[in-house]
Amino acid sequence: MSDSANTMWGGRFADGPDAIMEAINASIGFDHRLARQDIEGSRAHAAMLAAQGIITDSDAEAIRKGLLTVLSEIEGGTFVFSTALEDIHMNVEARLKELIGEPAGRLHTARSRNDQVALDFRMWVRDQCDAALTGIAALQKALLGQAETGADLVMPGFTHLQTAQPVTWGHHMMAYVEMLARDAGRFSDARARMNECPLGTAALAGTSFPIDRDMTAQELSFDRPAANSLDAVSDRDFALEFLSAASICAMHLSRLAEELVIWSSAQFRFVTMSDRFSTGSSIMPQKKNPDAAELTRAKIGRVLGATVGLFTVMKGLPLTYSKDMQEDKEQVFDAADSLMLALAAMEGMVRDMAANPEALRAAASSGFSTATDLADWLVREAGLPFRDAHHVTGRLVAMAEAEGKDLPDLTLDQMKSAHESITDGVFDVLGVDNSVRSRTSYGGTAPDQVRAQIALWKERLA
């Protein structure tokens, strides 16, 4: 394909752009990723034009076959992209003309690059929503596997990264299943909203040709054609919604990655990370670094940066299309790639990691983690108001801390010194196993509650 002066513009510009203008104007360096969507949209458009009698059936068939040839060349790596032709749309159309001649010139009837790029990009983002949903479900299944294995495994629950109350490993894993479910909901909602077809709105005002926009919308699996031509060509809400959902999802992945970094450290030893997702040190032979988790933690920066970037591009644009909107794609492509890589890496890490029951139990038993259980017992069995029970428990914590003990290690006489109504029944609630078993409220950490949630999610994800 020749890089000669771009004749696609027609006669308006006698001189070609200089090198700087060509460089800033061209988007083929990144929008070649829209090739499949561009060709799919062109095939649907040509079929509609023929059905409406706007072009002949023979021209439509030549266009269809030619586009399939172009797609095979692109997918096979033999297609030569031209910067002089600016974008994927011009590159495809120019090659189509080389292949089939005059009928190629009829393909662009009743459309503009404005509605064409709006269509291609919308279809690409729609595909990425589907990919994100698949990746999220795979990670949820990995978390369910961990939850099922550790439904009874006791670990510390934290607030302020301080030991708070005992919980179960399964309960902690299921927290991320719930987070990811909200992420999936956001991608699904965004996909439903973006599923309107802009093709046929042309440059901005629609077209005088008797097109059938319902036909192209149906052919391209949209729910309906977009209702306003001005909005259709200038809308990038679908990309912003995708990026917003991706940012929240990446933030969730970053939180889990941070926990894996902490948990795999020598100071915690809560989990052992797989060698497949760890690296060594060039100088310290004992090191096993959780690099995959750290890189996943960092991906939020790229995704959130893309979100802010596109909001900044769009915030001052009048209707309808402005060339600024060419800057919408690279950051969305990068964010989508980053999110999918992070989801895949996290799924692998979660599937492969092994919890350390001894370290988890020891940590769960430290830091007076059953103090709330003691206060609850005083309310339930001794009839104290909770604030009084809280005060009594605080005195017992101070007593145990002064002696270097945990609450279950205090004697009954020591307990009674804080409040005479305490009996030896209090020791039934002070063990970490008793503590987690007692949290039977809906959504609580009791193993039976955790197993019920696991069963529910297995059914949802089946």
Side-chain angles (χ1 to χ4, degrees):
M1 188 180 300
S2 171
D3 269 351
S4 59
N6 185 355
T7 58
M8 306 298 287
W9 288 101
R12 172 65 180 86
F13 296 94
D15 298 323
D18 63 22
I20 294 174
M21 182 58 193
E22 182 176 284
I24 198 171
N25 195 50
S27 60
I28 190 60
F30 50 86
D31 72 10
H32 62 84
R33 294 184 64 164
L34 301 176
R36 183 177 62 79
Q37 289 81 11
D38 190 72
I39 290 171
E40 188 177 345
S42 291
R43 289 175 60 194
H45 185 64
M48 181 275 296
L49 292 176
Q52 293 299 104
I54 299 170
I55 65 174
T56 66
D57 290 340
S58 61
D59 281 350
E61 179 61 15
I63 290 170
R64 185 189 71 81
K65 289 181 178 178
L67 288 171
L68 289 176
T69 299
V70 174
L71 182 59
S72 67
E73 290 177 352
I74 293 173
E75 293 181 341
T78 62
F79 190 94
V80 180
F81 292 101
S82 167
T83 304
L85 292 171
E86 296 183 12
D87 56 33
I88 187 61
H89 324 299
M90 294 291 206
N91 270 264
V92 169
E93 188 174 334
R95 178 57 178 149
L96 183 65
K97 186 174 182 180
E98 290 178 351
L99 290 170
I100 68 172
E102 182 180 333
R106 298 190 174 93
L107 173 59
H108 209 53
T109 306
R111 75 174 183 185
S112 161
R113 283 198 298 178
N114 291 357
D115 63 338
Q116 190 177 358
V117 70
L119 171 72
D120 296 356
F121 195 26
R122 190 177 291 249
M123 290 173 64
W124 191 92
V125 173
R126 186 178 65 178
D127 290 343
Q128 290 304 302
C129 286
D130 292 339
L133 289 168
T134 299
I136 288 170
L139 177 53
Q140 286 179 301
K141 289 175 183 177
L143 289 161
L144 282 174
Q146 286 285 346
E148 192 165 27
T149 301
D152 295 286
L153 181 58
V154 178
M155 67 174 289
F158 296 99
T159 60
H160 309 279
L161 203 56
Q162 306 292 318
T163 299
Q165 292 177 273
V167 296
T168 57
W169 174 263
H171 195 51
H172 200 110
M173 295 297 104
M174 292 303 294
Y176 284 101
V177 172
E178 294 291 337
M179 285 187 214
L180 290 163
R182 294 193 295 275
D183 293 325
R186 277 181 280 270
F187 283 115
S188 294
D189 289 347
R191 191 194 192 285
R193 251 185 307 280
M194 72 179 66
N195 209 33
E196 296 184 344
C197 183
L199 188 60
T201 58
L204 76 162
T207 178
S208 59
F209 289 96
I211 61 173
D212 184 349
R213 294 191 60 214
D214 289 299
M215 177 181 173
T216 48
Q218 184 176 0
E219 179 67 23
L220 296 170
S221 299
F222 286 97
D223 294 332
R224 64 193 70 85
N228 183 284
S229 61
L230 298 173
D231 177 52
V233 298
S234 62
D235 170 40
R236 293 298 182 270
D237 289 3
F238 61 90
L240 289 167
E241 280 202 76
F242 170 77
L243 288 175
S244 299
S247 293
I248 298 173
C249 183
M251 177 270 293
H252 289 152
L253 297 179
S254 182
R255 294 184 72 179
L256 178 52
E258 168 71 358
E259 295 205 303
L260 297 185
V261 170
I262 293 171
W263 291 352
S264 63
S265 68
Q267 289 70 29
F268 273 72
R269 296 185 301 107
F270 284 4
V271 298
T272 300
M273 302 296 291
S274 164
D275 290 347
R276 296 197 308 140
F277 295 96
S278 306
T279 65
S281 166
S282 62
I283 191 173
M284 295 169 285
Q286 83 281 8
K287 294 290 293 298
K288 184 176 181 181
N289 300 323
D291 281 12
E294 291 171 350
L295 289 166
T296 298
R297 183 175 60 186
K299 291 297 183 186
I300 178 63
R302 296 178 74 126
V303 179
L304 184 59
T307 308
V308 174
L310 185 54
F311 269 107
T312 305
V313 167
M314 296 301 299
K315 73 176 183 62
L317 298 186
L319 297 181
T320 56
Y321 183 84
S322 297
K323 195 68 171 180
D324 310 51
M325 292 166 71
Q326 184 168 290
E327 292 296 311
D328 58 0
K329 296 171 197 64
E330 281 184 282
Q331 45 209 342
V332 176
F333 292 159
D334 183 75
D337 291 345
S338 295
L339 178 66
M340 293 309 300
L341 184 57
L343 282 168
M346 187 57 73
E347 180 201 354
M349 283 185 281
V350 169
R351 284 193 187 281
D352 287 3
M353 71 183 181
N356 182 345
E358 293 76 17
L360 289 167
R361 175 173 286 276
S365 302
S366 67
F368 310 104
S369 65
T370 56
T372 304
D373 297 276
L374 173 55
D376 288 346
W377 185 91
L378 288 167
V379 171
R380 191 171 55 249
E381 301 297 331
L384 272 66
F386 182 80
R387 287 302 172 198
D388 293 345
H390 187 283
H391 179 71
V392 171
T393 301
R395 289 175 56 196
L396 289 171
V397 167
M399 183 187 302
E401 190 172 35
E403 296 190 14
K405 297 178 179 180
D406 201 356
L407 287 172
D409 302 321
L410 294 175
T411 66
L412 180 59
D413 287 341
Q414 287 175 309
M415 293 275 192
K416 282 181 170 294
S417 70
H419 199 279
E420 61 182 13
S421 63
I422 296 177
T423 68
D424 59 2
V426 73
F427 294 102
D428 293 336
V429 303
L430 292 182
V432 291
D433 291 299
N434 291 331
S435 175
V436 296
R437 279 197 295 266
S438 72
R439 307 293 172 181
T440 56
S441 58
Y442 179 77
T445 193
D448 287 346
Q449 283 290 331
V450 173
R451 289 192 181 91
Q453 289 299 314
I454 291 170
L456 177 65
W457 274 106
K458 276 187 168 183
E459 184 176 343
R460 287 180 183 175
L461 294 173

